[in-house]
């Protein structure tokens, strides 16, 4: 039996339609939206909706279709939640409390077709896109755990957000319009889906874009990220420049440091040349252990420092990611969606046919 449809993820017009289809007044959509986008999942608690409306909705819909199946907490306060949207295909989201803010990392797909060689998610292949409601549902699941308001959202969990473009953009608009999050506190991370970067630049959404670069040499990037065979580094940089010009926002380049592969000084120098001349930030991510069978290693601290200093000496704006959640495999590249749920029936890793 298909899962009961969920109302979370619908915009005002769609909520009005849902009410009309239940023979209830469409003008209740505003009240309904206020409850849904405050995270309420029980129709009975939507106290300013008449009882007959609550009853009619409850007969046809659920508020949120997300079901939490497992929760793991790390001693540094990071919480990883495994959930499914009614079909038991599992995906993960992570709560990241900091001293000055609370952030969360959301998944956009069950699995991922991109097959990046350093990533646990990529190893399992792809199953399906998540709906806008399932993306927002992760936020509200995590908000129900967090004693502080989640003010920042990063689309960096399982999946490549720009391969699920319509639902990702819809979810961002709902975060802005209904949840009241500033788009400036929302980051979308991509491996470099060039046409979608260009499209995103025209959406009039001043979100932050993070591009996973990870090497300055096409032959190395090809081996780490199959997407590079479709859109090489030069095309990704040109799309990034267009994004900056259209939005006035700087772009972050994520750069994974893998010993002997991406941490060479000549790549630090190339990187400085590449990002010179447009507003950007380089975020260094020392490799987190993931058993990918590639034998990748995290560079020694001295090597990381040397790479960073080379960039700084060449005038690059550089940070190093604050790493959290290692012990519960919630750090970057470690989300696999297999804990406690059944492994999805996925297509094989690195299915570039999805890019055609
Ligand atoms: S790094 Fe991102 S795009 Fe690459 S396989 Fe992992 S989830 Fe997919």
């Amino acid at each position: 039996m298909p899962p009961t449809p969920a109302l979370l993820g619908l915009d005002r017009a769609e909520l009005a339609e849902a009410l009309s289809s239940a023979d209830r007044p469409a003008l209740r959509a505003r009240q309904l939206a206020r409850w849904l986008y405050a995270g309420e999942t029980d129709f009975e608690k939507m106290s300013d909706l008449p009882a007959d409306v609550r009853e009619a909705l409850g007969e046809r819909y659920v508020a949120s279709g997300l079901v939490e199946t497992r929760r793991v907490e790390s001693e540094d306060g990071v919480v990883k939640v495994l959930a499914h949207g009614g079909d038991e295909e599992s995906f993960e989201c992570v709560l990241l409390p900091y001293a000055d803010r609370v952030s969360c990392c959301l998944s956009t797909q069950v699995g991922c077709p991109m097959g990046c060689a350093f990533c646990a998610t990529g190893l399992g292949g792809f199953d399906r896109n998540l709906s806008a409601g399932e993306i927002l549902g992760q936020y509200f699941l995590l908000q129900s755990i967090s004693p502080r308001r989640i003010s920042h959202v990063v689309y960096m969990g399982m999946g490549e957000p720009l391969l699920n473009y319509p639902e990702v953009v819809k979810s961002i608009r709902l975060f802005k319009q209904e949840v009241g999050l500033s788009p400036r506190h929302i980051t979308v991370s991509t491996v470099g889906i060039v046409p979608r970067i260009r499209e995103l630049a025209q959406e009039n959404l001043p979100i932050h874009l993070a591009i996973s670069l990870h090497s300055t040499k096409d032959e190395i990037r090809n081996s780490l990220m199959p997407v590079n065979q479709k859109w090489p580094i030069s095309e990704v940089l040109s799309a990034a420049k267009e994004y900056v010009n259209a939005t006035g926002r700087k772009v972050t380049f994520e750069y994974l440091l893998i010993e002997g592969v991406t941490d060479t000084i000549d790549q630090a120098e190339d990187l400085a040349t590449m990002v010179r001349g447009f507003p950007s930030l380089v975020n260094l991510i020392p490799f987190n252990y993931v058993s990918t069978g590639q034998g990748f290693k995290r560079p020694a601290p001295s090597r990381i420092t040397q790479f960073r200093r080379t960039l700084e000496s060449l005038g690059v704006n550089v940070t190093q990611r604050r790493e959290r959640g290692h012990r519960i495999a919630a750090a970057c590249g470690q989300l696999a969606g297999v804990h406690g749920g059944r492994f999805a029936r996925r297509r094989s890793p690195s299915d570039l046919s999805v890019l055609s």
Side-chain angles (χ1 to χ4, degrees):
M1 218 169 68
T4 309
L7 294 178
L8 192 70
L10 302 188
D11 60 26
R12 294 283 176 105
E14 291 166 331
L15 288 176
E17 262 175 51
L19 283 157
S20 300
S21 71
D23 288 326
R24 294 299 179 276
L27 53 79
R28 296 285 180 191
R30 191 174 56 84
Q31 284 161 292
L32 181 56
R34 221 170 37 222
W35 286 106
L36 289 171
Y37 295 104
E40 184 53 69
T41 54
D42 183 350
F43 290 123
E44 281 313 303
K45 292 191 178 149
M46 300 182 179
S47 52
D48 60 356
L49 286 176
D52 67 298
V53 173
R54 285 182 266 147
E55 197 182 324
L57 290 175
E59 281 164 8
R60 293 165 178 80
Y61 302 100
V62 289
S64 164
L66 236 58
V67 179
E68 177 180 338
T69 53
R70 190 162 187 239
R71 187 186 299 186
V72 198
E73 294 185 33
S74 139
E75 58 206 18
D76 59 6
V78 172
V79 184
K80 180 168 77 171
V81 170
L82 190 76
H84 66 76
D87 60 358
E88 297 192 7
E89 301 288 17
S90 297
F91 46 91
E92 292 172 326
C93 50
V94 183
L95 178 70
L96 295 152
Y98 297 94
D100 58 344
R101 67 180 192 280
V102 182
S103 183
C104 66
C105 177
L106 307 182
S107 292
T108 54
Q109 299 184 306
V110 181
C112 181
M114 291 288 85
C116 300
F118 47 81
C119 173
T121 307
L123 279 176
F126 171 70
D127 189 63
R128 70 173 178 87
N129 284 328
L130 296 181
S131 67
E134 288 169 325
I135 296 170
L136 281 137
Q138 296 170 65
Y139 173 90
F140 288 116
L141 266 188
L142 296 171
Q143 184 60 79
S144 70
I145 298 169
S146 171
R148 291 151 63 203
R149 181 169 187 263
I150 302 175
S151 57
H152 290 67
V153 169
V154 295
Y155 288 76
M156 275 190 201
M158 295 167 67
E160 161 52 54
L162 298 190
L163 288 184
N164 185 12
Y165 190 86
E167 295 302 303
V168 164
V169 168
K170 184 180 186 192
S171 67
I172 294 168
R173 292 200 192 287
L174 289 168
F175 272 127
K176 176 174 176 241
Q177 289 158 5
E178 300 290 0
V179 184
L181 280 189
S182 164
R184 291 175 184 277
H185 290 183
I186 296 177
T187 300
V188 170
S189 175
T190 177
V191 289
I193 311 294
V194 164
R196 296 290 90 74
I197 293 175
R198 296 204 164 106
E199 208 174 327
L200 191 61
Q202 303 306 320
E203 295 283 356
N204 196 23
L205 280 172
I207 55 167
H208 192 81
L209 183 68
I211 297 177
S212 300
L213 199 57
H214 303 334
S215 175
T216 60
K217 297 185 188 305
D218 279 321
E219 65 274 19
I220 295 177
R221 201 168 184 266
N222 281 342
S223 69
L224 292 175
M225 305 166 73
V227 69
N228 198 68
Q229 293 158 30
K230 178 95 177 172
W231 293 295
I233 295 167
S234 58
E235 289 191 36
V236 173
L237 289 174
S238 136
K241 280 182 186 159
E242 280 180 38
Y243 188 86
V244 168
N245 291 339
T247 62
R249 303 277 288 154
K250 69 179 169 207
V251 167
T252 296
F253 291 104
E254 307 285 355
Y255 194 94
L256 186 63
L257 289 168
I258 304 174
E259 186 187 85
V261 180
T262 64
D263 66 344
T264 56
I265 294 308
D266 63 323
Q267 290 190 78
E269 290 164 352
D270 288 347
L271 186 52
T273 307
M274 284 175 177
V275 303
R276 193 169 291 140
F278 70 101
S280 60
L281 176 75
V282 170
N283 189 26
L284 300 177
I285 312 166
F287 178 65
N288 291 315
Y289 179 72
V290 178
S291 174
T292 58
Q294 308 273 348
F296 291 146
K297 287 197 189 120
R298 185 185 181 93
S302 59
R303 209 85 187 155
I304 297 171
T305 305
Q306 201 186 3
F307 195 94
R308 180 180 181 147
R309 292 218 173 118
T310 303
L311 286 174
E312 284 168 344
S313 69
L314 294 168
V316 176
N317 219 350
V318 51
T319 56
Q320 190 172 323
R321 177 168 291 174
R322 282 193 266 172
E323 294 173 275
R324 316 282 305 275
H326 269 177
R327 296 223 169 138
I328 57 170
C332 184
Q334 293 181 319
L335 299 185
V338 295
H339 311 280
R342 81 190 155 85
F343 212 140
R345 302 174 305 278
R346 291 176 184 171
R347 276 194 261 174
S348 58
S350 180
D351 182 356
L352 292 189
S353 66
V354 299
L355 302 179
S356 55

